[in-house]
Amino acid sequence: MKETEVKKHRYGMVIDLDKCTGCGTCMVACASENNVTVRADESDKQRSIAWIQLYKINNGEKFPKTQTCFFPRPCMHCEEDGNGGHHPPCVSVCPATATTLDENTGIVSQIYTRCIGCRYCQAACPYHARYFNWWDGYSYFKPFPDGMERSLSPDVSPRMRGVVEKCTFCHHRLMRAKEIAHAQGRTEIEEGEYIPACAEACPAQAITFGDLNNPKHKVSELIKSPNAFRLLERLNTKPKVYYLSSKEWVRRLADNYLPGEPVRGIND
Amino acid sequence: MENQDHFPDKFTEKSASVKHFFYMLISYLRNLISNPMRSGLAYFVVGLIAALLVGWVLFPMALYSRNHQPVDFSHAIHTDPDIIDGIEGDTEAERCSYCHTFRDDGSFTGIPNLSKCMECHDDPESPLGETAEERDFLEEYVANLKEVPWYRYYEQPDCVYFSHIPHVKNGEIDCSACHGGHGSTDSLPVYEKNRISGYSINIWGKNISGRKTNTWDRMKMDDCAGCHTINSHEENNGCFVCHK
Amino acid sequence: MDSKDNKIAERMGINRRNFIKLVVGGAIGTTLSPLPWKITDDIAIFTQNLPWVPVPPAGEYSYAGSLCTLCPGGCGIKVRKVDERAVKIEGRTDYPVNPGGICPLGMGGLQLLYNENARFTGPMKRTGERGAGSFQSISWDEAMNILADRISGLKAGELAAIDGNLKGSTMSVVIERFLNSLGSSDYIKMQSSQETMDIAANLLTGTRGSVGYDLENSDYILSLGSGLLEGWGSPARVINAWSIWRSDELKGRVKVVQIEPRASNTASRADKWLPAVPGTETALVLGMAHVIIKEGLYNRDFIDNFSFGFYDFETAYGSYRRGFKTLVLEDYSPERVADITGLEENEIESTARDFASASAPVAVCGRGKGALYGSLYESMAVLALNALVGGINRAGGIFINDPLPLADLPDLPTNTSTGSDLKNGRIDMAGSRSYPFSQSLFNNLADSILEGNESPIDMLLVFSANPAFTAPNCGKLRKALEKIPFIVSFSPLRDETSMMADLILPDHIYLEKTDDMICPSGLQYPLYGLSRPVVKPLYNTRNSGDVMIDLAGKIGGTAGDAFPWKNFEDVVKHRVKGLYDAGDGLTDFDGVTPPWGTAGSIASPGYSSFDEMWEKLVKNGLWYRHLDRGRNIETIFNTKSGKFEFFSSIIESALKDIDVKILGKNASNDDICMPHFEDISPEGNDSFPLMMYPCELINLASGWIPNPPYLNKTLFDDQLKKDNSFVDINPDTAAEYALKQGDSIIIESPAGRVQALVNLFEGAMPGIVFMPLGFGHSAYDDFLRGKGANPNEIIYGKIDPLSGQNIWWKTPVRVTKL
């Protein structure tokens, strides 16, 4: 048996809201990639599931100064603070250890077979990134149309009712990339060999994905921008999903600012 | 204060009653053993033995359904370079991977499909049909181009992600470390499936007590985790390493 | 002794004490056996792997490249397969139209393929009432016999077809040929704004090609209501262009101006949003032209050398004609245009100046997704504006391309025995004295059928279209369909029109069949796309092209002679031969040198025989040419003057034949030949004080293809709530009618009424009710049926002058709170 040293990664995502057009392809790509279930009534947003959810915000100005802006919200894959203190909010509350912060990738995992469905994590997540399966996704109660199970991907385990699910940064794509690397005699993957389905599908190329530990990667460059921000920065959850927007009103909506309080960037 | 004074008396009273209890117990047991029928010990023993029998013998028999593979197959013959032309290589892994191949993308084919078999068994009239098993195989499957519905001994549940290539190619783990002597058997073992969990006995442990003597006796989560935490590399045992 | 023995026997027998001993023994034994522990473990495992949760079978991965034909966008797709199952659709990086990206509809395509409840699984005939949706399965033989017998018994002119296939595609050619071979000319294409633009281009340039916009190279994009981010053109291509404009290199240097009454995605993300009153966009364009001409900002080189009718001129007969310059300067002062459009005067002026001073400006039109008709004079005005700045066939401008060099099919056998209907008028009056320039007028079909006591046509074939849902004022069209004695649907999907059909001959779904695409909508360079089956057909369906060829053979006579090919693919091959003979197209794209890039054309086509080319075409799915900037604009204009005509001589020469009453009442003869604004106000009166504007959303399919279930996830909670869709209303307008957020209202027009919920939206122009197109299906399955209201039900408007197409963006309505 051979031992290999495992390199530590911190996979993260930068979403350029100036480029995002709100088309929703990321949501469809994600659902299709990850065998997310769909029900006849998807308008019930408290029951429907979307690992990456598109939110619509507007500047609240009167006609004709109104502007809307979209921001896609995957799981933020929060980080621990390095002092052993903060964990991602969902991880620290899970009584079943069904969700953990992967030390090698920085991805917050979710193991459906381990989940007991208490939904504590859902309550703890400040980003509403977690979804509960109120019904079996497929066949038994037939929420899925007949025949549709034929399009299920074997890479992602279909969920049963009673468990929580969320975005995994398409972790299975990392595993596939690694498998290909192994086939080519490598133990590490190259940057760019692994990107989630949403980043790949985005027709506006608004989503950049990569290793934040790699200072040469584009994500590390992008997050230095004065336009970069994260959602609910002051909760200190340290999300690995960053946003870029040149519009101040968009950045203002990213956190609970007091009226007149200046908007802070992540670098401030 | 008063209570303290009385305490020693109470204590002696208590030790006396304990003594009395043991005396009674011993005489009762003596009575039990000397007259098993009259005392009812027999009933206890019968209940005990019956339950043990059920638990250790009947239950395992009932728990697993037993199925024979649709076609018998000798791994021993098919891995013998003297018999099979194509089999080459010094290591076991190289011989196994003649049929259990890796695809270019690193994924593992598992049980070969019919086309692999037909690389040799390509003709219904082929002289390879010497035994009855071979003839059945040729007539029923090869002639009709029908895939053999093999039972999979080592099928992991859907929540498990397992890739052979890092283990076999990069980790240089022998096939037998997990699959035991499967590759040198003359005929296929009966496929035993757990009626409750739906998984093969090869995955969920051959020994009903859960005792494991060989590395290949069982492939449950702990068995994988045991290896993954070796040298206290806890981080290699992240949930997402083996789950999907 | 008896009693003693009895006592002993009693003690030895089964009594309460002994029974307890037995049970205790059993309990201890069970505890010491693996039974309870193993069962507990197994049950725990059982609950983690419930047997009814499907386990998707693993297998070998492969990617099948093809083309998405769900809309006229023609994006390249690759389908990830596990063994034979398709599990995911992704965009192709080796396809020039959509480098890597794809739109949400294309992404959800597998749900159209695999949704058994929304598909027909084999040929069927109607058993119950029309529209009840009760059908009985029949064999293909029986279906073909029914159809062939009925067609053989038809008289000339009794056969018509509605075709939603992409313009110029082999399928549409086959259908039209089939009809013509039987003496019928009633081949009716579904509507599209590209159609309107192509007519406009023909009138001003004399070229019947396709019009494309070089968005990628442009630095100033003026969009007249085009939903650039709502699915206009090739959605993934336009969004990709958008990200080029917003890239770090170009950030701030490319300006997008959106003219639209609602803060749509495009309007919100644009650099400037000009909410002009719907229907007055033409006036705005001409107002901008006024500023550009008045301030001398136009491209003198182009105007002086390559245009006709800009200046006033004298005809050969000595009569004096007003030119475009005079028309614009006299009639479209910013002051008047501001009055018409509701915009600020200085905004119009500054936009005009910015447009003219940009280095590569382009004006685009086609409302929403461009899936409905445009306005002819508006399209002409847009072409004229582009011409003013010299933006015709110039980098970053409009490109007018020749038709693709596809081989023509052999001429039809001349001795048509079935009749001479071809010479007679069409049922939709396209090409008639009233509408001489239109080839097809889908909107006239309903009126023509409803006119007399009996339907003039006996049999209607419907291909790749769902007019019962997508036609503006679809209630009227459904009435017309009911009147047609026999309807045959070739739709693979259980759509509204199929529910009204008598015979269903289901086509394959797009991922199962061979199909092709000519010049994706709005693409600036010539491209031919070929889509190939990526999975084997799942059900007992057949490619409609093959069905038509077989049917022609079965009918025999002129129809049989018209189709000497074995199957549909042979027809495709026949046409593609023309591409090979042209000798210069490319059949692969390296992903690096885009056809619109500055690298120029790659000289070698990379194939040396037709078979080799066909092989590459099948593999890569495309044939294309690099953008031909070198093409001399001296030769592209095929008009009488050989120039770009601001004053269309084609219209002028047709004027004597035109039924002038159909033209705008304000237009003089001179104006008729030039882009001009006509105020076509709807017949609203005080009882319909508001206006309804159908808006399109990128995540809501509004055409023949319905929303795959995954797209419903992307709808916001101010768009759909349970079974009700929302309409956007400005809070001020809502306040006049005492409407609050979420109120249920009835929206009523002269054509009908629908119910919807109120969404107060500051971005909505006051006085207008904005209804999203795509809701309100009554067919398909639970995922689509009964969700929201279809604005097509209440669309009611006048006719666009000259083209005869319908005006669908101005419906007078009133709202009542429920």
Side-chain angles (χ1 to χ4, degrees), chain C residues 80-91:
Chain C
R80 190 202 304 157
K81 289 168 71 180
V82 175
D83 289 342
E84 284 307 303
R85 295 188 302 125
V87 299
K88 175 91 191 293
I89 296 178
E90 285 163 10

Side-chain angles (χ1 to χ4, degrees), chain C residues 584-640:
Chain C
D584 64 336
L586 304 174
T587 47
D588 46 13
F589 173 59
D590 55 10
V592 186
T593 346
W596 43 265
T598 46
S601 185
I602 299 156
S604 155
Y607 46 82
S608 54
S609 68
F610 175 68
D611 289 336
E612 198 185 332
M613 180 211 174
W614 176 255
E615 211 171 278
K616 289 188 88 171
L617 187 60
V618 164
K619 183 169 159 271
N620 298 325
L622 84 160
W623 175 98
Y624 68 104
R625 285 169 170 163
H626 273 250
L627 193 57
D628 194 0
R629 277 184 214 81
R631 191 171 173 217
N632 198 337
I633 55 166
E634 284 164 29
T635 57
I636 56 166
F637 302 120
N638 300 312
T639 48
K640 208 162 78 182

Side-chain angles (χ1 to χ4, degrees), chain A residues 17 37 43 49 136 150 155, chain C residues 52 61 269 539 713 722:
Chain A
L17 300 186
T37 66
S43 73
I49 298 175
D136 274 311
R150 286 173 290 186
D155 285 339
Chain C
W52 58 81
Y61 272 63
R269 319 297 291 136
Y539 305 112
K713 275 191 189 304
K722 282 225 178 307

